[in-house]
């Protein structure tokens, strides 16, 4: 029974050992049977929290733009141990994280045009904070993107130094 429960759950989506253990506990599988199945599944590679954590970080960072803080929290919530979380977070390069934040801000930028600069910055910072970005990185990235945007959208005037032939 424990084996069937675990196999069914694993065919739907990758799971951590803790998630499978919790599912077995909820279905009142005897602890000895649950431990035996979980141990065997770990031995044969059906349960691999390290691979799960690496795939989770890669997928959620690329797909949702989540920062280290949010990713680590999600992994902990899924029962991944602290050492595995730390190792998975090391695969995320700080510059890659900053570039992802820039991309998120650029995508959101057009919906904030015309707003007061303080309101615009607050909304962009809020969006990054919800994705786990710290205030230092968030405000630095927002400032950079807003400066780039202002340079690109500066109105063209006759005094801009370009000949009008």
């Amino acid at each position: 029974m424990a084996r069937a429960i675990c196999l069914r759950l694993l065919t739907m989506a990758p799971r951590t050992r803790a998630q499978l253990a919790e599912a077995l506990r909820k279905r009142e599988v005897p602890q000895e049977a649950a431990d035996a199945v979980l141990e065997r599944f770990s031995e044969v590679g059906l349960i691999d929290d390290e691979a799960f954590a690496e795939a989770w970080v890669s997928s959620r960072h690329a797909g949702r733009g989540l920062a280290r803080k949010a990713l680590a929290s999600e992994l902990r919530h899924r029962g991944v141990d602290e050492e595995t979380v730390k190792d998975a977070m090391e695969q995320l390069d700080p510059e890659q994280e900053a570039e992802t934040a820039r991309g998120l801000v650029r995508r959101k930028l057009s919906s904030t045009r015309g707003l007061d600069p303080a309101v615009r910055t607050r909304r962009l910072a809020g969006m990054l904070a919800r994705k786990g970005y710290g205030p230092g990185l968030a405000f630095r990235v927002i400032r950079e993107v807003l400066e780039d945007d202002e340079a690109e959208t500066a109105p063209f005037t006759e005094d801009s130094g370009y000949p009008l032939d």
Side-chain angles (χ1 to χ4, degrees):
M1 181 172 144
R3 185 175 178 273
I5 291 169
C6 288
L7 285 173
R8 186 174 46 77
L9 290 171
L10 288 169
T11 59
M12 291 188 287
R15 309 279 178 166
T16 64
R17 184 181 179 111
Q19 288 174 313
L20 292 172
E22 178 64 18
L24 294 173
R25 188 192 61 72
K26 283 182 180 178
R27 289 175 178 82
E28 298 179 358
V29 171
Q31 189 63 44
E32 306 81 44
D35 289 343
V37 167
L38 293 173
E39 189 58 39
R40 179 66 183 144
F41 277 28
S42 293
E43 287 173 8
V44 299
L46 290 174
I47 302 173
D48 185 346
D49 284 358
E50 291 83 11
F52 176 90
E54 288 177 16
W56 187 266
V57 167
S58 176
S59 169
R60 300 286 282 180
H61 179 73
R64 302 266 326 272
L66 298 181
R68 291 170 188 259
K69 181 177 163 185
L71 293 166
S73 175
E74 287 184 349
L75 287 172
R76 285 185 202 101
H77 180 72
R78 281 160 181 73
V80 177
D81 68 86
E82 198 57 41
E83 187 64 30
T84 304
V85 170
K86 187 176 146 250
D87 291 345
M89 291 302 106
E90 287 177 1
Q91 82 178 25
L92 192 56
D93 177 45
E95 188 49 45
Q96 178 188 10
E97 189 175 34
E99 190 53 43
T100 300
R102 281 185 204 92
L104 290 167
V105 170
R106 283 186 202 107
R107 282 200 303 264
K108 181 85 171 162
L109 208 56
S110 63
S111 69
T112 64
R113 281 209 174 84
L115 295 175
D116 179 71
V119 172
R120 194 176 197 197
T121 299
R122 189 173 62 242
R123 287 193 184 170
L124 294 169
M127 179 264 305
L128 288 176
R130 286 187 296 279
K131 294 195 176 278
Y133 292 90
L137 175 63
F139 285 107
R140 179 176 55 107
V141 165
I142 291 167
R143 186 185 70 247
E144 291 170 5
V145 172
L146 287 175
E147 287 172 359
D148 290 347
D149 185 58
E150 288 173 12
E152 289 174 13
T153 59
F156 180 77
T157 63
E158 289 185 36
D159 297 333
S160 63
Y162 294 103
L164 297 174
D165 293 331

